[in-house]
Amino acid sequence: DQQVKQNSPSLSVQEGRISILNCDYTNSMFDYFLWYKKYPAEGPTFLISISSIKDKNEDGRFTVFLNKSAKHLSLHIVPSQPGDSAVYFCAASRLFQTGANNLFFGTGTRLTVIP
Amino acid sequence: NAGVTQTPKFQVLKTGQSMTLQCAQDMNHEYMSWYRQDPGMGLRLIHYSVGAGITDQGEVPNGYNVSRSTTEDFPLRLLSAAPSQTSVYFCASSQNTDTQYFGPGTRLTVL
């Protein structure tokens, strides 16, 4: 059963406008949320994260919002640039007994920024 | 500083063959893990390690073995390859328990 869901497989946005990528999760034990960006033939690269004790984290053009009551998070990219075109994965983690945070990934959203 | 490296980049196996996917990191990270990515499934955790000599299973461990004899290396072994193991495999490492750094991946096809 998919514990992290990204219901939009793709999104197209004009350059300079805002991109909003959404993610939902089902497990209330998740305590850390991350966004990864992936280009073809490369591994995912870390973009931004947020702890469950916060509701917003900002890093330059990227902002992640967390709504714990709705079990929903979103990634905002403003302004969007053609170089942002990639697949974006939402991921969540929880602390296992061994102390390792293992990641549960969504299925990804392919963002295309149109020049 | 090469980060996380994986070899080979591509591999074709026949059903029943065995092979080892190599993963190495030069960041002295304690935590390492293996994921597989399948179309429409996202990435799923196969095995992970919190340090040399310590490994554990993830979501989809069947058909795979791991060992961690050094901090740097975390090989993934396929004992008897099956077509269902056709996938892209990613290795990752991290020092803290949150942000993981991924290798470029190995694309495996099992015929």
PDB file of all heavy atoms in Angstrom, chain A residues 32 34 36 38 42-44 46 89 96 98-103 105-107, chain B residues 31 35 37 40-43 45 48 50 56 59 90 97-100 102-104:
ATOM      1  N   TYR A  32       9.446  13.372   9.204  1.00  0.00           N
ATOM      2  CA  TYR A  32      10.312  14.228   8.385  1.00  0.00           C
ATOM      3  C   TYR A  32       9.932  14.022   6.939  1.00  0.00           C
ATOM      4  O   TYR A  32       9.666  12.890   6.518  1.00  0.00           O
ATOM      5  CB  TYR A  32      11.777  13.848   8.607  1.00  0.00           C
ATOM      6  CG  TYR A  32      12.734  14.977   8.367  1.00  0.00           C
ATOM      7  CD1 TYR A  32      12.955  15.939   9.347  1.00  0.00           C
ATOM      8  CD2 TYR A  32      13.427  15.095   7.172  1.00  0.00           C
ATOM      9  CE1 TYR A  32      13.830  16.985   9.143  1.00  0.00           C
ATOM     10  CE2 TYR A  32      14.304  16.131   6.957  1.00  0.00           C
ATOM     11  CZ  TYR A  32      14.513  17.073   7.940  1.00  0.00           C
ATOM     12  OH  TYR A  32      15.374  18.103   7.738  1.00  0.00           O
ATOM     13  N   LEU A  34      10.671  15.213   2.764  1.00  0.00           N
ATOM     14  CA  LEU A  34      11.706  15.708   1.872  1.00  0.00           C
ATOM     15  C   LEU A  34      11.182  15.760   0.443  1.00  0.00           C
ATOM     16  O   LEU A  34      10.286  14.996   0.061  1.00  0.00           O
ATOM     17  CB  LEU A  34      12.937  14.786   1.906  1.00  0.00           C
ATOM     18  CG  LEU A  34      13.522  14.440   3.281  1.00  0.00           C
ATOM     19  CD1 LEU A  34      12.924  13.135   3.818  1.00  0.00           C
ATOM     20  CD2 LEU A  34      15.029  14.289   3.202  1.00  0.00           C
ATOM     21  N   TYR A  36      12.839  15.490  -3.451  1.00  0.00           N
ATOM     22  CA  TYR A  36      13.989  15.183  -4.275  1.00  0.00           C
ATOM     23  C   TYR A  36      13.652  15.515  -5.716  1.00  0.00           C
ATOM     24  O   TYR A  36      12.515  15.358  -6.159  1.00  0.00           O
ATOM     25  CB  TYR A  36      14.366  13.704  -4.165  1.00  0.00           C
ATOM     26  CG  TYR A  36      15.162  13.351  -2.928  1.00  0.00           C
ATOM     27  CD1 TYR A  36      14.534  13.142  -1.716  1.00  0.00           C
ATOM     28  CD2 TYR A  36      16.541  13.241  -2.985  1.00  0.00           C
ATOM     29  CE1 TYR A  36      15.265  12.816  -0.584  1.00  0.00           C
ATOM     30  CE2 TYR A  36      17.285  12.912  -1.853  1.00  0.00           C
ATOM     31  CZ  TYR A  36      16.635  12.703  -0.662  1.00  0.00           C
ATOM     32  OH  TYR A  36      17.362  12.390   0.446  1.00  0.00           O
ATOM     33  N   LYS A  38      14.843  14.781  -9.756  1.00  0.00           N
ATOM     34  CA  LYS A  38      15.563  13.764 -10.519  1.00  0.00           C
ATOM     35  C   LYS A  38      15.545  14.090 -12.011  1.00  0.00           C
ATOM     36  O   LYS A  38      14.478  14.251 -12.613  1.00  0.00           O
ATOM     37  CB  LYS A  38      14.952  12.374 -10.274  1.00  0.00           C
ATOM     38  CG  LYS A  38      15.760  11.258 -10.932  1.00  0.00           C
ATOM     39  CD  LYS A  38      15.126   9.919 -10.699  1.00  0.00           C
ATOM     40  CE  LYS A  38      15.964   8.822 -11.356  1.00  0.00           C
ATOM     41  NZ  LYS A  38      16.182   9.031 -12.794  1.00  0.00           N
ATOM     42  N   GLU A  42      20.056  10.039 -13.917  1.00  0.00           N
ATOM     43  CA  GLU A  42      20.791  10.466 -12.739  1.00  0.00           C
ATOM     44  C   GLU A  42      20.056   9.993 -11.491  1.00  0.00           C
ATOM     45  O   GLU A  42      18.861   9.676 -11.544  1.00  0.00           O
ATOM     46  CB  GLU A  42      20.949  11.981 -12.692  1.00  0.00           C
ATOM     47  CG  GLU A  42      21.791  12.547 -13.808  1.00  0.00           C
ATOM     48  CD  GLU A  42      21.970  14.061 -13.677  1.00  0.00           C
ATOM     49  OE1 GLU A  42      21.587  14.608 -12.617  1.00  0.00           O
ATOM     50  OE2 GLU A  42      22.479  14.672 -14.619  1.00  0.00           O
ATOM     51  N   GLY A  43      20.765   9.994 -10.369  1.00  0.00           N
ATOM     52  CA  GLY A  43      20.091   9.679  -9.118  1.00  0.00           C
ATOM     53  C   GLY A  43      19.325  10.887  -8.599  1.00  0.00           C
ATOM     54  O   GLY A  43      19.581  12.020  -8.999  1.00  0.00           O
ATOM     55  N   PRO A  44      18.359  10.654  -7.713  1.00  0.00           N
ATOM     56  CA  PRO A  44      17.640  11.777  -7.099  1.00  0.00           C
ATOM     57  C   PRO A  44      18.601  12.671  -6.319  1.00  0.00           C
ATOM     58  O   PRO A  44      19.549  12.191  -5.695  1.00  0.00           O
ATOM     59  CB  PRO A  44      16.652  11.083  -6.154  1.00  0.00           C
ATOM     60  CG  PRO A  44      16.526   9.688  -6.654  1.00  0.00           C
ATOM     61  CD  PRO A  44      17.869   9.353  -7.228  1.00  0.00           C
ATOM     62  N   PHE A  46      18.726  15.802  -3.378  1.00  0.00           N
ATOM     63  CA  PHE A  46      17.949  16.440  -2.315  1.00  0.00           C
ATOM     64  C   PHE A  46      17.669  17.901  -2.656  1.00  0.00           C
ATOM     65  O   PHE A  46      18.543  18.639  -3.116  1.00  0.00           O
ATOM     66  CB  PHE A  46      18.715  16.344  -1.000  1.00  0.00           C
ATOM     67  CG  PHE A  46      18.120  17.166   0.111  1.00  0.00           C
ATOM     68  CD1 PHE A  46      16.946  16.773   0.718  1.00  0.00           C
ATOM     69  CD2 PHE A  46      18.730  18.336   0.520  1.00  0.00           C
ATOM     70  CE1 PHE A  46      16.390  17.526   1.727  1.00  0.00           C
ATOM     71  CE2 PHE A  46      18.194  19.103   1.533  1.00  0.00           C
ATOM     72  CZ  PHE A  46      17.025  18.697   2.137  1.00  0.00           C
ATOM     73  N   PHE A  89      10.169  14.013  -6.561  1.00  0.00           N
ATOM     74  CA  PHE A  89       9.673  12.977  -5.667  1.00  0.00           C
ATOM     75  C   PHE A  89       9.477  13.557  -4.272  1.00  0.00           C
ATOM     76  O   PHE A  89      10.375  14.213  -3.722  1.00  0.00           O
ATOM     77  CB  PHE A  89      10.655  11.813  -5.578  1.00  0.00           C
ATOM     78  CG  PHE A  89      10.715  10.962  -6.815  1.00  0.00           C
ATOM     79  CD1 PHE A  89      11.719  11.152  -7.752  1.00  0.00           C
ATOM     80  CD2 PHE A  89       9.773   9.972  -7.028  1.00  0.00           C
ATOM     81  CE1 PHE A  89      11.780  10.365  -8.897  1.00  0.00           C
ATOM     82  CE2 PHE A  89       9.831   9.176  -8.170  1.00  0.00           C
ATOM     83  CZ  PHE A  89      10.832   9.386  -9.104  1.00  0.00           C
ATOM     84  N   PHE A  96      13.075   4.162  12.802  1.00  0.00           N
ATOM     85  CA  PHE A  96      12.990   2.763  13.177  1.00  0.00           C
ATOM     86  C   PHE A  96      13.765   2.541  14.463  1.00  0.00           C
ATOM     87  O   PHE A  96      14.489   3.383  14.926  1.00  0.00           O
ATOM     88  CB  PHE A  96      13.561   1.864  12.087  1.00  0.00           C
ATOM     89  CG  PHE A  96      12.703   1.806  10.853  1.00  0.00           C
ATOM     90  CD1 PHE A  96      13.246   1.465   9.645  1.00  0.00           C
ATOM     91  CD2 PHE A  96      11.353   2.101  10.896  1.00  0.00           C
ATOM     92  CE1 PHE A  96      12.473   1.402   8.491  1.00  0.00           C
ATOM     93  CE2 PHE A  96      10.564   2.043   9.764  1.00  0.00           C
ATOM     94  CZ  PHE A  96      11.128   1.689   8.556  1.00  0.00           C
ATOM     95  N   THR A  98      16.349   0.825  14.968  1.00  0.00           N
ATOM     96  CA  THR A  98      17.791   0.855  14.784  1.00  0.00           C
ATOM     97  C   THR A  98      18.318   2.287  14.660  1.00  0.00           C
ATOM     98  O   THR A  98      19.501   2.496  14.573  1.00  0.00           O
ATOM     99  CB  THR A  98      18.203   0.058  13.545  1.00  0.00           C
ATOM    100  OG1 THR A  98      17.439   0.516  12.436  1.00  0.00           O
ATOM    101  CG2 THR A  98      17.950  -1.412  13.750  1.00  0.00           C
ATOM    102  N   GLY A  99      17.436   3.262  14.607  1.00  0.00           N
ATOM    103  CA  GLY A  99      17.863   4.648  14.527  1.00  0.00           C
ATOM    104  C   GLY A  99      18.050   5.172  13.127  1.00  0.00           C
ATOM    105  O   GLY A  99      18.555   6.260  12.910  1.00  0.00           O
ATOM    106  N   ALA A 100      17.635   4.424  12.153  1.00  0.00           N
ATOM    107  CA  ALA A 100      17.805   4.882  10.775  1.00  0.00           C
ATOM    108  C   ALA A 100      16.488   5.423  10.238  1.00  0.00           C
ATOM    109  O   ALA A 100      15.440   4.835  10.456  1.00  0.00           O
ATOM    110  CB  ALA A 100      18.268   3.738   9.897  1.00  0.00           C
ATOM    111  N   ASN A 101      16.575   6.555   9.562  1.00  0.00           N
ATOM    112  CA  ASN A 101      15.400   7.080   8.876  1.00  0.00           C
ATOM    113  C   ASN A 101      15.370   6.549   7.461  1.00  0.00           C
ATOM    114  O   ASN A 101      16.147   6.971   6.617  1.00  0.00           O
ATOM    115  CB  ASN A 101      15.437   8.609   8.879  1.00  0.00           C
ATOM    116  CG  ASN A 101      14.924   9.184  10.162  1.00  0.00           C
ATOM    117  OD1 ASN A 101      14.557   8.461  11.067  1.00  0.00           O
ATOM    118  ND2 ASN A 101      14.893  10.493  10.245  1.00  0.00           N
ATOM    119  N   ASN A 102      14.477   5.621   7.205  1.00  0.00           N
ATOM    120  CA  ASN A 102      14.329   5.104   5.854  1.00  0.00           C
ATOM    121  C   ASN A 102      13.253   5.884   5.136  1.00  0.00           C
ATOM    122  O   ASN A 102      12.273   6.295   5.742  1.00  0.00           O
ATOM    123  CB  ASN A 102      13.982   3.621   5.903  1.00  0.00           C
ATOM    124  CG  ASN A 102      15.100   2.807   6.521  1.00  0.00           C
ATOM    125  OD1 ASN A 102      16.264   3.018   6.235  1.00  0.00           O
ATOM    126  ND2 ASN A 102      14.742   1.874   7.374  1.00  0.00           N
ATOM    127  N   LEU A 103      13.441   6.082   3.866  1.00  0.00           N
ATOM    128  CA  LEU A 103      12.561   6.942   3.088  1.00  0.00           C
ATOM    129  C   LEU A 103      11.464   6.154   2.393  1.00  0.00           C
ATOM    130  O   LEU A 103      11.710   5.098   1.817  1.00  0.00           O
ATOM    131  CB  LEU A 103      13.379   7.715   2.041  1.00  0.00           C
ATOM    132  CG  LEU A 103      14.424   8.683   2.590  1.00  0.00           C
ATOM    133  CD1 LEU A 103      15.204   9.303   1.436  1.00  0.00           C
ATOM    134  CD2 LEU A 103      13.763   9.762   3.429  1.00  0.00           C
ATOM    135  N   PHE A 105       8.851   6.818  -0.629  1.00  0.00           N
ATOM    136  CA  PHE A 105       8.729   7.749  -1.747  1.00  0.00           C
ATOM    137  C   PHE A 105       7.343   7.718  -2.371  1.00  0.00           C
ATOM    138  O   PHE A 105       6.687   6.670  -2.425  1.00  0.00           O
ATOM    139  CB  PHE A 105       9.746   7.399  -2.837  1.00  0.00           C
ATOM    140  CG  PHE A 105      11.142   7.860  -2.548  1.00  0.00           C
ATOM    141  CD1 PHE A 105      11.997   7.077  -1.806  1.00  0.00           C
ATOM    142  CD2 PHE A 105      11.589   9.071  -3.033  1.00  0.00           C
ATOM    143  CE1 PHE A 105      13.294   7.496  -1.536  1.00  0.00           C
ATOM    144  CE2 PHE A 105      12.881   9.499  -2.782  1.00  0.00           C
ATOM    145  CZ  PHE A 105      13.737   8.713  -2.035  1.00  0.00           C
ATOM    146  N   GLY A 106       6.945   8.876  -2.895  1.00  0.00           N
ATOM    147  CA  GLY A 106       5.808   8.927  -3.789  1.00  0.00           C
ATOM    148  C   GLY A 106       6.232   8.504  -5.182  1.00  0.00           C
ATOM    149  O   GLY A 106       7.405   8.201  -5.432  1.00  0.00           O
ATOM    150  N   THR A 107       5.282   8.489  -6.093  1.00  0.00           N
ATOM    151  CA  THR A 107       5.534   8.007  -7.448  1.00  0.00           C
ATOM    152  C   THR A 107       6.114   9.068  -8.371  1.00  0.00           C
ATOM    153  O   THR A 107       6.500   8.767  -9.487  1.00  0.00           O
ATOM    154  CB  THR A 107       4.257   7.439  -8.073  1.00  0.00           C
ATOM    155  OG1 THR A 107       3.222   8.416  -7.958  1.00  0.00           O
ATOM    156  CG2 THR A 107       3.818   6.167  -7.357  1.00  0.00           C
TER     157      THR A 107
ATOM    158  N   TYR B  31      25.275   5.571   7.390  1.00  0.00           N
ATOM    159  CA  TYR B  31      24.045   4.977   6.873  1.00  0.00           C
ATOM    160  C   TYR B  31      24.122   4.808   5.360  1.00  0.00           C
ATOM    161  O   TYR B  31      24.478   5.757   4.645  1.00  0.00           O
ATOM    162  CB  TYR B  31      22.854   5.861   7.228  1.00  0.00           C
ATOM    163  CG  TYR B  31      21.531   5.342   6.730  1.00  0.00           C
ATOM    164  CD1 TYR B  31      20.803   4.418   7.460  1.00  0.00           C
ATOM    165  CD2 TYR B  31      21.006   5.786   5.518  1.00  0.00           C
ATOM    166  CE1 TYR B  31      19.592   3.935   7.000  1.00  0.00           C
ATOM    167  CE2 TYR B  31      19.800   5.313   5.052  1.00  0.00           C
ATOM    168  CZ  TYR B  31      19.096   4.391   5.790  1.00  0.00           C
ATOM    169  OH  TYR B  31      17.904   3.916   5.328  1.00  0.00           O
ATOM    170  N   TYR B  35      17.753   1.143  -3.011  1.00  0.00           N
ATOM    171  CA  TYR B  35      16.375   1.307  -3.461  1.00  0.00           C
ATOM    172  C   TYR B  35      16.263   0.777  -4.888  1.00  0.00           C
ATOM    173  O   TYR B  35      17.229   0.768  -5.639  1.00  0.00           O
ATOM    174  CB  TYR B  35      15.967   2.779  -3.468  1.00  0.00           C
ATOM    175  CG  TYR B  35      15.848   3.419  -2.116  1.00  0.00           C
ATOM    176  CD1 TYR B  35      16.963   3.933  -1.464  1.00  0.00           C
ATOM    177  CD2 TYR B  35      14.606   3.540  -1.496  1.00  0.00           C
ATOM    178  CE1 TYR B  35      16.853   4.522  -0.223  1.00  0.00           C
ATOM    179  CE2 TYR B  35      14.488   4.143  -0.249  1.00  0.00           C
ATOM    180  CZ  TYR B  35      15.610   4.626   0.365  1.00  0.00           C
ATOM    181  OH  TYR B  35      15.493   5.226   1.604  1.00  0.00           O
ATOM    182  N   GLN B  37      13.740   1.412  -8.370  1.00  0.00           N
ATOM    183  CA  GLN B  37      12.707   2.276  -8.937  1.00  0.00           C
ATOM    184  C   GLN B  37      12.053   1.561 -10.100  1.00  0.00           C
ATOM    185  O   GLN B  37      12.722   1.191 -11.062  1.00  0.00           O
ATOM    186  CB  GLN B  37      13.285   3.610  -9.416  1.00  0.00           C
ATOM    187  CG  GLN B  37      12.199   4.536  -9.946  1.00  0.00           C
ATOM    188  CD  GLN B  37      12.749   5.768 -10.634  1.00  0.00           C
ATOM    189  OE1 GLN B  37      13.941   5.871 -10.913  1.00  0.00           O
ATOM    190  NE2 GLN B  37      11.884   6.726 -10.885  1.00  0.00           N
ATOM    191  N   GLY B  40       5.839   3.839 -12.171  1.00  0.00           N
ATOM    192  CA  GLY B  40       4.594   3.989 -11.425  1.00  0.00           C
ATOM    193  C   GLY B  40       4.669   3.585  -9.970  1.00  0.00           C
ATOM    194  O   GLY B  40       3.648   3.563  -9.284  1.00  0.00           O
ATOM    195  N   MET B  41       5.886   3.242  -9.470  1.00  0.00           N
ATOM    196  CA  MET B  41       6.006   2.747  -8.092  1.00  0.00           C
ATOM    197  C   MET B  41       6.856   3.649  -7.217  1.00  0.00           C
ATOM    198  O   MET B  41       6.969   3.405  -6.033  1.00  0.00           O
ATOM    199  CB  MET B  41       6.617   1.342  -8.093  1.00  0.00           C
ATOM    200  CG  MET B  41       5.778   0.310  -8.789  1.00  0.00           C
ATOM    201  SD  MET B  41       4.285  -0.074  -7.880  1.00  0.00           S
ATOM    202  CE  MET B  41       4.955  -0.902  -6.443  1.00  0.00           C
ATOM    203  N   GLY B  42       7.506   4.650  -7.760  1.00  0.00           N
ATOM    204  CA  GLY B  42       8.447   5.416  -6.957  1.00  0.00           C
ATOM    205  C   GLY B  42       9.654   4.569  -6.598  1.00  0.00           C
ATOM    206  O   GLY B  42       9.910   3.531  -7.213  1.00  0.00           O
ATOM    207  N   LEU B  43      10.401   4.982  -5.594  1.00  0.00           N
ATOM    208  CA  LEU B  43      11.549   4.222  -5.115  1.00  0.00           C
ATOM    209  C   LEU B  43      11.150   3.429  -3.883  1.00  0.00           C
ATOM    210  O   LEU B  43      10.479   3.950  -2.990  1.00  0.00           O
ATOM    211  CB  LEU B  43      12.719   5.150  -4.745  1.00  0.00           C
ATOM    212  CG  LEU B  43      13.547   5.715  -5.896  1.00  0.00           C
ATOM    213  CD1 LEU B  43      12.837   6.882  -6.557  1.00  0.00           C
ATOM    214  CD2 LEU B  43      14.914   6.158  -5.381  1.00  0.00           C
ATOM    215  N   LEU B  45      12.580   0.766  -0.748  1.00  0.00           N
ATOM    216  CA  LEU B  45      13.770   0.373  -0.011  1.00  0.00           C
ATOM    217  C   LEU B  45      13.933  -1.142  -0.021  1.00  0.00           C
ATOM    218  O   LEU B  45      13.009  -1.878   0.320  1.00  0.00           O
ATOM    219  CB  LEU B  45      13.673   0.879   1.427  1.00  0.00           C
ATOM    220  CG  LEU B  45      14.852   0.578   2.334  1.00  0.00           C
ATOM    221  CD1 LEU B  45      16.087   1.343   1.892  1.00  0.00           C
ATOM    222  CD2 LEU B  45      14.488   0.953   3.779  1.00  0.00           C
ATOM    223  N   TYR B  48      19.100  -1.844   4.082  1.00  0.00           N
ATOM    224  CA  TYR B  48      19.855  -0.706   4.554  1.00  0.00           C
ATOM    225  C   TYR B  48      20.861  -1.148   5.618  1.00  0.00           C
ATOM    226  O   TYR B  48      20.790  -2.267   6.143  1.00  0.00           O
ATOM    227  CB  TYR B  48      18.934   0.385   5.097  1.00  0.00           C
ATOM    228  CG  TYR B  48      18.176   0.027   6.357  1.00  0.00           C
ATOM    229  CD1 TYR B  48      18.649   0.389   7.614  1.00  0.00           C
ATOM    230  CD2 TYR B  48      16.965  -0.660   6.274  1.00  0.00           C
ATOM    231  CE1 TYR B  48      17.941   0.070   8.758  1.00  0.00           C
ATOM    232  CE2 TYR B  48      16.258  -0.976   7.414  1.00  0.00           C
ATOM    233  CZ  TYR B  48      16.744  -0.611   8.652  1.00  0.00           C
ATOM    234  OH  TYR B  48      16.039  -0.934   9.779  1.00  0.00           O
ATOM    235  N   VAL B  50      23.209   0.622   9.009  1.00  0.00           N
ATOM    236  CA  VAL B  50      23.485   1.785   9.857  1.00  0.00           C
ATOM    237  C   VAL B  50      24.949   1.844  10.265  1.00  0.00           C
ATOM    238  O   VAL B  50      25.331   2.722  11.039  1.00  0.00           O
ATOM    239  CB  VAL B  50      22.579   1.812  11.098  1.00  0.00           C
ATOM    240  CG1 VAL B  50      21.120   1.921  10.671  1.00  0.00           C
ATOM    241  CG2 VAL B  50      22.787   0.586  11.965  1.00  0.00           C
ATOM    242  N   ASP B  56      19.892  -4.484   7.637  1.00  0.00           N
ATOM    243  CA  ASP B  56      18.514  -4.869   7.922  1.00  0.00           C
ATOM    244  C   ASP B  56      17.692  -4.763   6.648  1.00  0.00           C
ATOM    245  O   ASP B  56      18.121  -4.144   5.656  1.00  0.00           O
ATOM    246  CB  ASP B  56      17.911  -4.001   9.020  1.00  0.00           C
ATOM    247  CG  ASP B  56      16.804  -4.710   9.780  1.00  0.00           C
ATOM    248  OD1 ASP B  56      16.299  -5.752   9.287  1.00  0.00           O
ATOM    249  OD2 ASP B  56      16.427  -4.237  10.864  1.00  0.00           O
ATOM    250  N   GLU B  59      11.515  -2.584   2.553  1.00  0.00           N
ATOM    251  CA  GLU B  59      10.189  -2.979   2.088  1.00  0.00           C
ATOM    252  C   GLU B  59      10.196  -4.211   1.196  1.00  0.00           C
ATOM    253  O   GLU B  59       9.283  -5.043   1.254  1.00  0.00           O
ATOM    254  CB  GLU B  59       9.567  -1.847   1.253  1.00  0.00           C
ATOM    255  CG  GLU B  59       9.141  -0.609   1.991  1.00  0.00           C
ATOM    256  CD  GLU B  59       8.560   0.394   1.006  1.00  0.00           C
ATOM    257  OE1 GLU B  59       7.378   0.250   0.653  1.00  0.00           O
ATOM    258  OE2 GLU B  59       9.300   1.300   0.583  1.00  0.00           O
ATOM    259  N   PHE B  90      19.196   2.170  -7.075  1.00  0.00           N
ATOM    260  CA  PHE B  90      19.913   3.319  -6.541  1.00  0.00           C
ATOM    261  C   PHE B  90      20.461   2.991  -5.167  1.00  0.00           C
ATOM    262  O   PHE B  90      19.757   2.444  -4.313  1.00  0.00           O
ATOM    263  CB  PHE B  90      19.000   4.539  -6.434  1.00  0.00           C
ATOM    264  CG  PHE B  90      18.576   5.098  -7.758  1.00  0.00           C
ATOM    265  CD1 PHE B  90      17.327   4.820  -8.267  1.00  0.00           C
ATOM    266  CD2 PHE B  90      19.437   5.901  -8.489  1.00  0.00           C
ATOM    267  CE1 PHE B  90      16.932   5.327  -9.497  1.00  0.00           C
ATOM    268  CE2 PHE B  90      19.049   6.412  -9.712  1.00  0.00           C
ATOM    269  CZ  PHE B  90      17.796   6.116 -10.212  1.00  0.00           C
ATOM    270  N   THR B  97      20.473  11.348  10.008  1.00  0.00           N
ATOM    271  CA  THR B  97      19.398  10.391   9.717  1.00  0.00           C
ATOM    272  C   THR B  97      18.350  10.949   8.783  1.00  0.00           C
ATOM    273  O   THR B  97      17.297  10.364   8.605  1.00  0.00           O
ATOM    274  CB  THR B  97      18.725   9.952  11.034  1.00  0.00           C
ATOM    275  OG1 THR B  97      18.302  11.117  11.734  1.00  0.00           O
ATOM    276  CG2 THR B  97      19.672   9.170  11.902  1.00  0.00           C
ATOM    277  N   ASP B  98      18.606  12.083   8.168  1.00  0.00           N
ATOM    278  CA  ASP B  98      17.561  12.706   7.376  1.00  0.00           C
ATOM    279  C   ASP B  98      17.869  12.801   5.879  1.00  0.00           C
ATOM    280  O   ASP B  98      17.186  12.236   5.081  1.00  0.00           O
ATOM    281  CB  ASP B  98      17.271  14.104   7.925  1.00  0.00           C
ATOM    282  CG  ASP B  98      16.890  14.051   9.383  1.00  0.00           C
ATOM    283  OD1 ASP B  98      16.089  13.171   9.741  1.00  0.00           O
ATOM    284  OD2 ASP B  98      17.385  14.877  10.153  1.00  0.00           O
ATOM    285  N   THR B  99      18.888  13.530   5.514  1.00  0.00           N
ATOM    286  CA  THR B  99      19.152  13.784   4.111  1.00  0.00           C
ATOM    287  C   THR B  99      20.054  12.708   3.536  1.00  0.00           C
ATOM    288  O   THR B  99      21.163  12.499   4.021  1.00  0.00           O
ATOM    289  CB  THR B  99      19.829  15.154   3.932  1.00  0.00           C
ATOM    290  OG1 THR B  99      19.009  16.145   4.534  1.00  0.00           O
ATOM    291  CG2 THR B  99      20.019  15.461   2.457  1.00  0.00           C
ATOM    292  N   GLN B 100      19.563  12.031   2.507  1.00  0.00           N
ATOM    293  CA  GLN B 100      20.345  10.989   1.865  1.00  0.00           C
ATOM    294  C   GLN B 100      20.836  11.449   0.499  1.00  0.00           C
ATOM    295  O   GLN B 100      20.149  12.191  -0.196  1.00  0.00           O
ATOM    296  CB  GLN B 100      19.508   9.728   1.729  1.00  0.00           C
ATOM    297  CG  GLN B 100      19.111   9.147   3.071  1.00  0.00           C
ATOM    298  CD  GLN B 100      18.448   7.804   2.960  1.00  0.00           C
ATOM    299  OE1 GLN B 100      18.784   7.001   2.095  1.00  0.00           O
ATOM    300  NE2 GLN B 100      17.486   7.543   3.827  1.00  0.00           N
ATOM    301  N   PHE B 102      22.176  10.190  -3.231  1.00  0.00           N
ATOM    302  CA  PHE B 102      22.005   9.041  -4.097  1.00  0.00           C
ATOM    303  C   PHE B 102      23.102   8.941  -5.150  1.00  0.00           C
ATOM    304  O   PHE B 102      23.627   9.942  -5.626  1.00  0.00           O
ATOM    305  CB  PHE B 102      20.653   9.111  -4.807  1.00  0.00           C
ATOM    306  CG  PHE B 102      19.494   8.780  -3.921  1.00  0.00           C
ATOM    307  CD1 PHE B 102      18.966   9.734  -3.067  1.00  0.00           C
ATOM    308  CD2 PHE B 102      18.938   7.511  -3.925  1.00  0.00           C
ATOM    309  CE1 PHE B 102      17.896   9.426  -2.227  1.00  0.00           C
ATOM    310  CE2 PHE B 102      17.870   7.186  -3.096  1.00  0.00           C
ATOM    311  CZ  PHE B 102      17.353   8.148  -2.248  1.00  0.00           C
ATOM    312  N   GLY B 103      23.421   7.695  -5.509  1.00  0.00           N
ATOM    313  CA  GLY B 103      24.289   7.431  -6.636  1.00  0.00           C
ATOM    314  C   GLY B 103      23.534   7.573  -7.948  1.00  0.00           C
ATOM    315  O   GLY B 103      22.314   7.800  -7.947  1.00  0.00           O
ATOM    316  N   PRO B 104      24.221   7.397  -9.091  1.00  0.00           N
ATOM    317  CA  PRO B 104      23.593   7.619 -10.406  1.00  0.00           C
ATOM    318  C   PRO B 104      22.711   6.472 -10.865  1.00  0.00           C
ATOM    319  O   PRO B 104      21.977   6.612 -11.848  1.00  0.00           O
ATOM    320  CB  PRO B 104      24.795   7.781 -11.336  1.00  0.00           C
ATOM    321  CG  PRO B 104      25.890   7.007 -10.672  1.00  0.00           C
ATOM    322  CD  PRO B 104      25.665   7.156  -9.198  1.00  0.00           C
TER     323      PRO B 104
END
